[in-house]
Amino acid sequence: MTTTTAETTVTRGSVGTPHTRVEGPEKVTGTARYAGDIPYADLAYGWLVLSTVARGRIRSVEAEPVLRMPGVLGVLHHGNAPHLESDYVGLLGVRPDPASVVFQHDRVPHAGWPVALVVAETSEQAREAAETLVVHYEEEPHDVAFHAGHPAAYAYDAPHAPAEATKGDVEAELGASALVVDEEYSTPEEHHNPMEPHAATARWDGGRLEVVDSNQGSMWVANELARLFSLDPSSVRVRSEHVGGGFGCKGVRAHQVSAVMAATVLQRPVRVVLTRRQMFSLVGYRSPTTQRVRLGADADGRLRALEHLSLNPTSTVFEFVEPGASVARVMYDADAHHTVNRLVPLDVPTPTWMRAPGEAPGSFALESALDELAEKSGIDPIALRVRNEPRIGPLSGLPFSSRNLLACFQEGARRFGWADRDPRPGLRRDGRWLLGTGTAGAFFPSGAAPSTAAVTAQADGTFTVRITAADIGTGARTALCLVAADALQVAPDRVRVRIGDSDFGQAFIAGGSMGTRSWSWAVTAAARDLRERLALDGDIPPEGITARSDTAEAIGALAAKERHSFGAQFAEVAVDVTTGEVRVRRMLGIFAAGRIVNPLTARSQLVGGMTWGISMALHEEAIRDAASGGLVGADFAGYHIATHADVPTIEADWVDDTDPDDPVGIKGVGEIGIVGAAAAIANAVWHATGVRHRSLPIRPDRVLLAGTGASGA
Amino acid sequence: MAPSTSSGVTLNINGEKYTLSVDHRTTLLDALRERLDLTGTKKGCDQGQCGACTVLLDGRRVVSCLQFAVAAEGREITTIEGVADGDRLHPVQQAFLDLDGYQCGYCTPGQICSAVAMLQEHAAGWPSAVTEDVRPEAGPPPLTTDEIRERMSGNLCRCAAYVSIVDAVAKAATPLEGEAVA
């Protein structure tokens, strides 16, 4: 036995100081094993076959010729697939995406619907067989054309976002306003595109289903697989140690479900990896939006009326709302306030959460409209926001846990040099470039969800944390190491953090900017408990001493408040009106996002989010072809994301904003970086050219057609 | 007799010889990953658009998803597993680690292989689309951040670690400056 507890007490905490990633050496040497990297004996390869029609029925799947091809082991389709149970609500409070409940019927509700899985000895054989498989369809007319005013639109109450929120009389207040902004904005269909395609390997091992996966929550996926296949939850184990990006699309998808199905039927390990093209129709996406914002203000800029209406398409088989109109419910108050999120079902794949769902497109419209009001009123955009800063939740009436938006604007303005800005548009030139600057506000909800954790003290003086967390590139593994070290009052090199294994118990997912906060809470609780026990008795038996936590009660006891992170975005752009090219020259984001656990990785996340803002403002746009119902150019050549040459110097920093109601003071940094970023860029494009761009992305052809100085775009 | 659909090849990877029989359709990427357990090289798109599968072929960067394994026989192949000098990280690897030049890490092997070759291309005087003086006698242009960004643009990073990657490449380039080009 070893006595270890009292000997080391670090005086300086680890949280708040920069630390390189604990798994960094593995990631830079190629030894980190992602889901598709783990070797299996006797592995078979599954390749999904997707529908080529956008609506109709499968008349037949001609499996026989394919089964005779070399190496082919089986073809699963609606005619022979095992039954799946899909009538349930999962851990996240939503039903499974019907596209993940594979091969249960002959209906095809959208292009790229999974219709079969071909399994073969090698991936080459599986791919060729899948491409050879003939599927006959009975095609029906489809409607994929999304536009404002679609007759099938309806208001939709999401689980945590009521469709409509209202106070006061918008029409009356607009009528009494000295200044009115009334504009429509649109954002396109956008796709997550994590660099690592979805991959899962399923196998049965001694009566237990083992799935090695790439996901944002292994307990979440394990629980849903148990529901789908009617298994005892304890007989399903899902592991996901390294995840090559997620952004909202790595949940329960056709790859895991079809791999489990094939492994069950064939009784051997089966791996299914999605192709990049398949990801464009199988894993969700950010739906396009059309939004209308009406602002009415007194001459001094004080808002009398604020109305934000948002419409997005969903599939015909699942209701998913992109709640763009909800942004105004937190950001700004007005005497009359009206926000509505509406849906229109079309014959398209089901959209899903994508980094800052609702806030990203909603903030583009609202923060652009605020800039338009600043222009009309002659008030500086930051001063306008100061004038409309609410003291309590504009609709809830609840206090803010903390609201440091103005501190962000103040610090950002100082560092960006905002005070020297001439507000007039179209005046600055650098050779062929017109220059402009813009700003926008940002917020993202700060939440925590119940999680469990276990912390073990080992006899050798080290500690092991076990929690079903996911590090999808956020740096969560490293952050939890620092958090545990501080709670244990030891140096972080004595703490090992194990994550991504559903056997570690229930924990929240990497999502909603809630992962690190939720997990840190659980880790802190277990670690503090362990430290107290060790203080009573320092002798550690060979098997170690383990303390466990469950934060459900503590989180349930949190007082109702408006709990959010805030931020101020600044951008400088250069616009060549003869080519239509827009270049972002620099960006600055200042955030009030709780206590920052690891400045090195937190900064990476914030800068990454802001870069997504560049990508959203200038590049990303999935084009849906009305004739086929599918996407045009569903790959990285047809769907542009920002690359090195598009991304200038970007600075992200923060103001002190420790959350007093969180044991570590965390709020979350995963999503707020993108919020407002596209609006700041669009507002800068106006400042450069004198033209408003209300449709994203701000493509060269749009800039060319809009020219300079004319109104509207 | 049916035509053969596979061949025996010997691949020279990271200084070691691997002899195997490959399906003619097998890409170098799949041979590395599925046959030789060299899974550091990643598949991001399988169609030459993302750069995640970048390896060095005779010292030059290529996307291994667009190379057939059978066509790589006789070439010197360097993958991410062969970039470090034993336990000593390559300066590019060390700089990625120190400056957080990644997030999820999936594009990282490709970024690092690409950067290693890119620094050699630059040192050899190859111009890029943003090089002002492209005369052969002009020599290597200053390795500005714009040069690095332009030359690294074939490697996508969806986490968007670009700012840190450029910093890392610039830092790694500093000790290489002045070294003789092989």
Side-chain angles (χ1 to χ4, degrees):
Chain A
M1 287 201 188
T2 317
T3 303
T4 60
T5 50
E7 69 183 61
T8 321
T9 303
V10 287
T11 49
R12 201 166 66 100
S14 297
V15 170
T17 60
H19 289 261
T20 59
R21 289 170 203 258
V22 293
E23 77 284 8
E26 297 167 55
K27 284 184 172 174
V28 300
T29 55
T31 53
R33 295 266 183 179
Y34 294 74
D37 299 347
I38 295 165
Y40 284 82
D42 206 28
L43 182 65
Y45 294 79
W47 203 282
L48 282 163
V49 179
L50 309 190
S51 74
T52 54
V53 303
R55 191 159 183 267
R57 282 181 190 282
I58 303 165
R59 213 176 331 130
S60 65
V61 177
E62 305 295 330
E64 282 307 316
V66 161
L67 286 167
R68 290 195 295 271
M69 292 177 69
V72 173
L73 299 165
V75 179
L76 287 168
H77 53 86
H78 74 282
N80 64 4
H83 172 74
L84 296 174
E85 181 58 52
S86 61
D87 187 18
Y88 69 88
V89 174
L91 286 180
L92 296 185
V94 294
R95 312 179 82 77
D97 180 343
S100 304
V101 189
V102 294
F103 320 140
Q104 297 298 296
H105 54 76
D106 63 355
R107 290 290 316 167
V108 174
H110 61 72
W113 177 260
V115 296
L117 181 82
V118 177
V119 188
E121 296 284 352
T122 72
S123 65
E124 290 83 4
Q125 291 166 339
R127 179 182 187 173
E128 180 159 351
E131 289 172 358
T132 304
L133 184 71
V134 173
V135 179
H136 293 291
Y137 301 93
E138 196 174 295
E139 214 174 334
E140 296 167 15
H142 61 259
D143 176 12
V144 300
F146 172 63
H147 54 86
H150 195 291
Y154 62 95
Y156 175 71
D157 285 310
H160 302 293
E164 183 164 12
T166 190
K167 70 173 183 183
D169 183 337
V170 167
E171 300 304 334
E173 294 295 337
L174 280 172
S177 294
L179 303 165
V180 173
V181 171
D182 179 357
E183 298 293 349
E184 290 192 5
Y185 302 85
S186 69
T187 60
E189 177 176 329
E190 297 163 353
H191 289 258
H192 309 73
N193 275 314
M195 294 313 299
E196 179 202 25
H198 297 60
T201 307
R203 70 168 174 157
W204 285 94
D205 184 18
R208 259 196 124 191
L209 175 64
E210 297 251 1
V211 180
V212 171
D213 187 29
S214 173
N215 66 51
Q216 294 179 230
S218 288
M219 176 53 78
W220 172 34
V221 171
N223 186 275
E224 299 234 5
L225 290 176
R227 300 293 294 263
L228 286 163
F229 288 90
S230 302
L231 300 169
D232 182 337
S234 67
S235 69
V236 181
R237 183 187 190 189
V238 175
R239 284 177 292 162
S240 178
E241 187 177 3
H242 295 291
V243 183
F247 314 113
C249 72
K250 281 193 175 156
V252 180
R253 295 293 171 194
H255 69 295
Q256 300 121 335
V257 180
S258 59
V260 171
M261 199 179 259
T264 304
V265 170
L266 297 171
Q267 283 300 306
R268 63 185 279 187
V270 175
R271 174 173 296 162
V272 177
V273 181
L274 299 187
T275 67
R276 181 60 54 183
R277 186 172 290 273
Q278 289 172 345
M279 288 169 69
F280 277 86
S281 57
L282 283 182
V283 304
Y285 58 96
R286 194 199 303 284
S287 68
T289 66
T290 66
Q291 304 176 58
R292 184 180 181 192
V293 180
R294 291 197 293 171
L295 303 176
D298 291 332
D300 65 358
R302 193 186 65 84
L303 287 169
R304 299 181 69 111
L306 191 168
E307 183 177 67
H308 191 163
L309 311 175
S310 179
L311 174 69
N312 74 275
T314 186
S315 68
T316 58
V317 291
F318 193 97
E319 293 173 306
F320 182 86
V321 69
E322 179 81 23
S326 301
V327 173
R329 297 173 190 174
V330 172
M331 284 301 281
Y332 305 109
D333 201 0
D335 300 324
H337 203 289
H338 184 223
T339 50
V340 188
N341 294 304
R342 292 187 310 147
L343 284 182
V344 57
L346 298 176
D347 301 311
V348 296
T350 303
T352 193
W353 310 288
M354 178 165 146
R355 203 173 199 171
E359 291 84 4
S363 66
F364 165 66
L366 183 63
E367 295 296 316
S368 294
L370 258 286
D371 205 67
E372 302 204 42
L373 181 61
E375 177 194 351
K376 283 198 170 173
S377 63
I379 299 170
D380 175 78
I382 296 176
L384 180 67
R385 287 169 173 87
V386 172
R387 198 152 299 171
N388 287 291
E389 174 72 356
R391 270 183 300 211
I392 55 172
L395 282 124
S396 68
L398 293 170
F400 289 97
S401 63
S402 63
R403 181 176 169 117
N404 285 313
L405 176 63
L406 298 189
C408 294
F409 271 116
Q410 192 173 11
E411 173 65 4
R414 185 185 68 77
R415 286 176 50 172
F416 194 76
W418 189 260
D420 303 330
R421 179 181 189 256
D422 184 333
R424 294 172 296 167
L427 295 179
R428 291 144 297 272
R429 255 190 193 281
D430 174 13
R432 64 192 172 98
W433 300 97
L434 287 169
L435 306 182
T437 53
T439 188
F443 97 98
F444 193 83
S446 166
S451 298
T452 63
V455 183
T456 301
Q458 275 103 211
D460 65 358
T462 63
F463 299 86
T464 300
V465 173
R466 289 179 178 83
I467 184 165
T468 313
D471 191 334
I472 60 175
T474 57
R477 189 185 279 103
T478 310
L480 295 178
C481 182
L482 305 183
V483 166
D486 278 11
L488 294 163
Q489 298 189 355
V490 300
D493 61 6
R494 284 172 58 189
V495 178
R496 186 166 55 242
V497 175
R498 295 188 54 198
I499 61 172
D501 184 339
S502 63
D503 275 2
F504 295 158
Q506 192 279 326
F508 194 62
I509 66 162
S513 297
M514 293 163 68
T516 294
R517 181 176 174 207
S518 302
W519 306 322
S520 291
W521 196 323
V523 168
T524 298
R528 283 181 182 166
D529 183 25
L530 180 65
R531 191 163 60 84
E532 282 170 18
R533 287 162 60 178
L534 292 174
L536 292 175
D537 177 6
D539 289 339
I540 299 174
E543 71 274 18
I545 298 176
T546 297
R548 297 174 195 281
S549 65
D550 184 342
T551 59
E553 202 177 316
I555 288 171
L558 279 176
K561 285 182 185 174
E562 292 276 356
R563 300 177 183 277
H564 314 284
S565 296
F566 292 90
Q569 304 270 11
F570 295 83
E572 177 178 345
V573 304
V575 183
D576 183 340
V577 290
T578 58
T579 65
E581 185 179 7
V582 178
R583 306 283 305 176
V584 177
R585 288 199 167 183
R586 60 180 174 127
M587 281 187 88
L588 170 69
I590 302 290
F591 300 95
R595 188 166 175 220
I596 300 302
V597 177
N598 184 354
L600 182 69
T601 55
R603 183 168 277 113
S604 291
Q605 268 200 289
L606 293 166
V607 169
M610 293 166 71
T611 307
W612 272 52
I614 295 176
S615 207
M616 175 181 172
L618 303 180
H619 307 303
E620 292 183 41
E621 179 177 34
I623 310 281
R624 198 160 283 282
D625 172 42
S628 71
L631 292 180
V632 177
D635 56 37
F636 283 130
Y639 185 86
H640 290 180
I641 63 171
T643 187
H644 283 280
D646 301 308
V647 180
T649 299
I650 298 177
E651 282 184 89
D653 213 336
W654 41 84
V655 298
D656 182 38
D657 184 48
T658 299
D659 186 332
D661 293 336
D662 183 87
V664 189
I666 300 171
K667 279 190 176 175
V669 295
E671 283 155 285
I672 191 164
I674 188 177
V675 183
I681 292 165
N683 293 339
V685 170
W686 168 78
H687 190 231
T689 64
V691 180
R692 289 284 170 190
H693 285 268
R694 302 186 183 94
S695 292
L696 296 183
I698 305 173
R699 297 187 313 244
D701 60 311
R702 286 178 165 154
V703 174
L704 278 176
L705 286 171
T708 55
S711 65
Chain B
M1 197 174 105
S4 171
T5 59
S6 62
S7 293
V9 291
T10 297
L11 299 177
N12 188 346
I13 306 165
N14 303 328
E16 284 189 43
K17 289 198 188 315
Y18 297 82
T19 300
L20 66 161
S21 171
V22 293
D23 188 317
H24 293 159
R25 297 167 295 188
T26 303
T27 61
L28 176 57
L29 172 61
D30 283 339
L32 291 170
R33 291 177 52 79
E34 304 292 343
R35 303 294 307 282
L36 302 174
D37 199 30
L38 290 166
T39 54
T41 306
K42 302 304 184 196
K43 183 183 285 190
C45 70
D46 212 19
Q47 50 190 162
Q49 296 171 340
C50 79
C53 66
T54 303
V55 300
L56 308 186
L57 208 54
D58 294 334
R60 291 189 183 174
R61 46 183 173 163
V62 298
V63 281
S64 59
C65 71
L66 296 188
Q67 308 283 328
F68 284 119
V70 287
E73 188 159 39
R75 316 282 296 274
E76 294 278 343
I77 302 160
T78 304
T79 69
I80 187 66
E81 289 92 346
V83 169
D85 179 9
D87 289 339
R88 216 180 103 233
L89 294 180
H90 187 282
V92 172
Q93 290 173 310
Q94 188 65 51
F96 270 64
L97 184 62
D98 293 341
L99 300 180
D100 211 40
Y102 50 36
Q103 290 180 43
C104 78
Y106 197 79
C107 73
T108 309
Q111 299 274 359
I112 289 172
C113 286
S114 191
V116 167
M118 180 277 268
L119 292 174
Q120 289 167 359
E121 292 161 15
H122 171 261
W126 294 17
S128 82
V130 300
T131 303
E132 288 191 12
D133 188 347
V134 297
R135 291 172 302 129
E137 61 272 27
L143 194 60
T144 61
T145 52
D146 277 349
E147 283 282 358
I148 296 172
R149 288 179 187 128
E150 176 63 30
R151 291 164 188 261
M152 289 295 293
S153 278
N155 290 84
L156 299 179
C157 171
R158 185 53 159 167
C159 298
Y162 298 121
V163 171
S164 303
I165 293 171
V166 170
D167 285 349
V169 174
K171 181 183 176 188
T174 312
L176 295 182
E177 293 285 304
E179 267 187 26
V181 178

